[in-house]
Amino acid sequence: MFKQTRTQPIQCSRLIFLLPVLSVISTPAIAHQKASLFEDNYLKVLAAVTYRNNQIVENGEIWQPNGFLIGGESIPTEKGVSLDDVQLQGYLNVNHQYYVAAKLSGHSHGGDNSVELENLWFGTEMYIAQQRLQLEAGKMTTDVTDTLNYHASADTFSQAPLSADILFGRHFNDIGVRAAVVGKINPRYLGGNSDYKIGFEVFNGDNFPATSGEGSISAFSHFNFQYDNFHSSAKFWVMYSEAEKRADLRYSQGHNHGVSQDVTAEYYFSGDTLNTGVYFDASWQYQRWRVHGEFEWMQAQVDGQIASTTQSAYIEAPQNSYRLTTFIEREQHSIHLQYEILSTQNKFTQTTPTFITQAGLDNNGFEPNRISASWRYAFHPNFVLRTEWMRDESNEPSQVNNVVSLGIQWNYDLL
């Protein structure tokens, strides 16, 4: 057996140091697209433009964190000015019988432009035994956690979380169905206003880490609690995905971001991925001040085979991701801080060290990590000025990059 191990002290010491500092954390500046029979019709546009003085990897190089299998759309932002994200969101409530929601999105950077119908789904609601049952179907994002619905125009930072990038290919969009029970908890039990949402989803498998037709299935539970000026929420979820000869298509022709096809080697993964996640947040408002904090842990249990045209290896890998965020806000100004770290324990059988190195899976204890800080100024009801600093060590141990950026978020209700 050829086995990769990781060192524990780096991860543990960092987390122990940061936990008291990051005891309170951040919600997105603009809420993600929601839909229910209680919504009014809307049509809105969102956009984010950012200038950066540096980038994580050089032009023509691949972002491939040592020890991790990557896919989807997880390509780091680039130096210079870029249109990070533009969205056109729409929602139609049809006589309070059913609704249809859609999202058209695009981006432009590095000479590449893309526009796609990202989401289009239908939904309805009904009451069964005094419980509200929500049914949805179409091309939609998962509801397990908002982290997997990242967009630069709607989130705090202009770069996606490492957990979303590495474990899920940035955002989760797939064709599927969802059923959820939504209800309220009697105030006499918890002493405040509480509600919950419990559901499950079945997807076709078009989103990383699955492959089309193999499918993903997930279950989740969300709880919210509010008492006076204090609010807290918790989420627990699990997702199982299957893949058959999954390839890394991030730098494929027509969307290569300056990477030559000669640089991209072909490796395929076939197997299972079991993801679990836990999320907590808390916020407190005092007069004009608000503080908010959140903690999120995700794990991916990878079990399968990685192969090229000539060689292969069986892999078992528990991968853990931790994200801590905090902000303090007063009127139009807010200061945000976020810390992220991932770890993996890769075990390989029926292979050679040479093949593992060639496939980029020789982790050797490397833990991708990132610290981000941001000052945001909502100088207009439709505009937010976003300044950021990011220290990134996500590609390889010896490569640390500092990125300073300045950008604008815009959102406008057309209807």
Side-chain angles (χ1 to χ4, degrees):
M1 175 184 289
F2 180 63
K3 178 178 179 180
Q4 298 291 327
T5 60
R6 64 179 175 89
T7 56
Q8 295 287 344
I10 296 177
Q11 173 182 302
C12 293
S13 62
R14 287 177 178 174
L15 286 175
I16 292 172
F17 172 77
L18 285 169
L19 275 171
V21 179
L22 301 179
S23 58
V24 289
I25 308 180
S26 150
T27 52
I30 306 165
H32 292 296
Q33 186 175 10
K34 302 296 184 183
S36 76
L37 284 182
F38 295 93
E39 297 285 344
D40 295 324
N41 296 340
Y42 64 78
L43 183 65
K44 64 178 67 177
V45 59
L46 305 87
V49 178
T50 307
Y51 166 77
R52 299 174 179 85
N53 75 330
N54 198 4
Q55 56 194 40
I56 295 174
V57 293
E58 297 297 326
N59 292 334
E61 294 185 2
I62 294 175
W63 183 59
Q64 181 68 49
N66 288 355
F68 295 86
L69 298 168
I70 312 295
E73 300 178 10
S74 53
I75 298 176
T77 53
E78 298 170 336
K79 182 179 179 179
V81 179
S82 65
L83 175 60
D84 295 329
D85 180 39
V86 59
Q87 299 181 57
L88 180 63
Q89 297 182 1
Y91 166 86
L92 177 64
N93 190 321
V94 182
N95 299 323
H96 294 283
Q97 296 178 348
Y98 70 93
Y99 57 85
V100 56
K103 179 193 298 180
L104 185 69
S105 66
H107 69 272
S108 174
H109 57 91
D112 290 323
N113 302 279
S114 70
V115 178
E116 65 171 330
L117 181 62
E118 185 172 315
N119 298 131
L120 175 63
W121 79 99
F122 297 83
T124 189
E125 297 174 354
M126 62 191 71
Y127 283 88
I128 298 178
Q130 299 182 339
Q131 299 293 317
R132 181 157 59 97
L133 176 64
Q134 185 179 56
L135 302 174
E136 296 177 294
K139 186 178 182 183
M140 55 190 179
T141 188
T142 178
D143 205 22
V144 297
T145 173
D146 280 341
T147 304
L148 304 188
N149 188 21
Y150 171 82
H151 288 85
S153 61
D155 281 84
T156 300
F157 295 96
S158 64
Q159 178 66 53
L162 286 174
S163 54
D165 266 349
I166 294 177
L167 302 184
F168 287 93
R170 183 151 299 183
H171 17 236
F172 190 104
N173 289 295
D174 202 348
I175 298 173
V177 296
R178 175 165 53 232
V181 175
V182 183
K184 294 185 178 296
I185 300 175
N186 194 316
R188 67 182 182 182
Y189 295 129
L190 299 177
N193 296 321
S194 305
D195 61 75
Y196 62 88
K197 183 176 184 179
I198 301 174
F200 71 91
E201 309 165 318
V202 179
F203 292 103
N204 184 54
D206 296 328
N207 198 97
F208 184 91
T211 55
S212 185
E214 300 302 320
S216 296
I217 184 170
S218 57
F220 60 88
S221 59
H222 300 170
F223 300 92
N224 296 293
F225 171 78
Q226 183 170 358
Y227 182 79
D228 290 339
N229 295 328
F230 175 80
H231 177 271
S232 180
S233 64
K235 300 178 182 180
F236 308 91
W237 58 271
V238 59
M239 178 183 293
Y240 173 77
S241 305
E242 294 186 358
E244 180 66 28
K245 293 186 177 179
R246 186 189 71 208
D248 183 356
L249 303 176
R250 293 175 299 153
Y251 299 94
S252 59
Q253 190 173 8
H255 194 67
N256 58 17
H257 293 263
V259 175
S260 170
Q261 292 296 298
D262 297 334
V263 178
T264 59
E266 291 187 344
Y267 296 95
Y268 303 92
F269 173 78
S270 298
D272 308 326
T273 303
L274 179 64
N275 293 97
T276 52
V278 174
Y279 170 92
F280 297 103
D281 74 20
S283 62
W284 177 62
Q285 181 135 8
Y286 177 72
Q287 296 180 357
R288 297 181 180 181
W289 294 89
R290 184 165 73 101
V291 291
H292 179 89
E294 57 189 69
F295 165 78
E296 186 164 39
W297 165 77
M298 296 185 195
Q299 184 181 77
Q301 182 67 49
V302 181
D303 187 1
Q305 182 186 50
I306 180 77
S308 66
T309 55
T310 58
Q311 301 180 75
S312 65
Y314 287 92
I315 179 173
E316 293 182 11
Q319 302 172 348
N320 289 280
S321 167
Y322 303 89
R323 183 175 65 88
L324 295 161
T325 316
T326 185
F327 81 64
I328 184 169
E329 177 183 70
R330 190 179 192 275
E331 297 180 340
Q332 293 95 351
H333 300 270
S334 61
I335 297 175
H336 305 254
L337 180 64
Q338 180 168 268
Y339 177 72
E340 308 167 78
I341 189 168
L342 284 84
S343 65
T344 186
Q345 292 179 309
N346 295 343
K347 298 180 181 179
F348 304 99
T349 57
Q350 302 181 32
T351 190
T352 64
T354 301
F355 176 69
I356 298 305
T357 301
Q358 292 173 344
L361 297 176
D362 50 344
N363 179 262
N364 293 322
F366 173 54
E367 297 175 319
N369 64 89
R370 177 184 295 163
I371 299 176
S372 304
S374 174
W375 167 63
R376 299 165 55 84
Y377 173 37
F379 62 92
H380 185 275
N382 303 125
F383 292 93
V384 174
L385 175 67
R386 175 167 57 189
T387 64
E388 297 172 290
W389 167 80
M390 180 177 71
R391 181 193 180 277
D392 181 271
E393 188 182 355
S394 64
N395 199 42
E396 55 187 45
S398 60
Q399 186 177 358
V400 179
N401 288 288
N402 291 281
V403 181
V404 177
S405 63
L406 176 66
I408 292 286
Q409 287 177 293
W410 173 62
N411 72 95
Y412 185 77
D413 292 331
L414 299 172
L415 178 65

